[in-house]
Amino acid sequence: MESAHYFSAQPAGPFTRKRLTVDLAGETRRLQTSSGIFSPDGIDKGTAVLLADVPAPAPQGNLLDIGCGWGPIALTMALRAPHARVYAVDVNERCVTLTNENAALLGLDNVTAGTPDTVDPDLRFDTIWSNPPIRIGKDELHALLRLWIPRLAPGGSAWLVVQKNLGSDSLQRWLAAELDASFTVTRESTSKSFRILRVRKASH
């Protein structure tokens, strides 16, 4: 199963769960994964950079993980902000199932994973974390970010990890040009060939 097809709604091949042991939020966690999803064997390098480098998410309110895979970002958010509500979205139904199951395995009742159309369009998010699916193509990526980034709540921030050689600088420029004047786009850090971009929504 090629990982290139992880952004299919219903990936080919059997949905066979297998065990996965990873470190999340400072502790070893025993979770589930499967083929047909992004980075099925562990935490992707970009995701690891994001989780290591970004500040803690908002302690309350609504948090969002765009492109959740088996759930490492959403689960970390939920572990670090137990009083917040975490939404995890993915077009891959296998990812949605695994993220919900992994949240249950960790005893987290503040995670809701679903396809993008299941999220109330009126919801606003205090923190967004994402290792966005760059390989779906520029038009699709732009449409994805155009859908979610404007849903930041006033004073909220989105943190995106993007590999330098996959267009992080051009994406930063596009975001700055695309979003209205209430948003500020900055490059926060560079680590292991990845850049972390921050999009801030003005408080007022």
Side-chain angles (χ1 to χ4, degrees):
M1 180 71 214
E2 288 187 23
S3 63
H5 299 291
Y6 60 78
F7 39 81
S8 303
Q10 296 175 313
F15 185 4
T16 304
R17 292 163 180 79
K18 55 186 180 181
R19 292 181 180 174
L20 178 69
T21 301
V22 292
D23 287 331
L24 290 179
E27 290 187 23
T28 300
R29 318 282 179 175
R30 288 172 176 80
L31 304 171
Q32 295 186 130
T33 182
S34 80
S35 63
I37 67 171
F38 175 67
S39 193
D41 300 319
I43 298 176
D44 165 77
K45 289 179 183 177
T47 298
V49 168
L50 180 81
L51 295 178
D53 288 4
V54 296
Q60 295 178 314
N62 299 317
L63 315 180
L64 176 67
D65 170 13
I66 306 169
C68 61
W70 52 262
I73 291 174
L75 298 173
T76 300
M77 287 180 132
L79 289 162
R80 294 180 67 181
H83 300 296
R85 166 58 56 184
V86 179
Y87 293 85
V89 293
D90 206 297
V91 296
N92 185 328
E93 294 169 6
R94 199 171 290 187
C95 293
V96 170
T97 298
L98 286 167
T99 297
N100 282 321
E101 290 178 352
N102 284 332
L105 285 172
L106 296 180
L108 296 168
D109 60 5
N110 60 333
V111 176
T112 302
T115 52
D117 59 324
T118 64
V119 179
D120 182 346
D122 292 329
L123 271 182
R124 294 297 175 263
F125 300 98
D126 300 280
T127 304
I128 297 173
W129 287 359
S130 181
N131 179 358
I134 300 296
R135 296 180 189 279
I136 60 175
K138 187 178 289 187
D139 291 346
E140 289 84 357
L141 176 68
H142 286 178
L144 184 71
L145 296 176
R146 204 181 279 121
L147 173 66
W148 294 110
I149 300 299
R151 296 195 200 180
L152 276 172
S157 287
W159 302 83
L160 312 175
V161 62
V162 185
Q163 207 164 340
K164 281 191 288 187
N165 66 0
L166 292 180
S168 60
D169 294 347
S170 61
L171 184 64
Q172 180 182 348
R173 290 191 295 271
W174 177 81
L175 284 165
E178 176 72 20
L179 298 168
D180 66 42
S182 67
F183 294 90
T184 305
V185 183
T186 54
R187 182 197 306 161
E188 290 294 308
S189 63
T190 301
S191 176
K192 297 175 183 168
S193 81
F194 290 91
R195 297 207 199 283
I196 291 183
L197 306 179
R198 180 183 187 186
V199 182
R200 277 176 284 193
K201 171 79 170 176
S203 298
H204 302 291

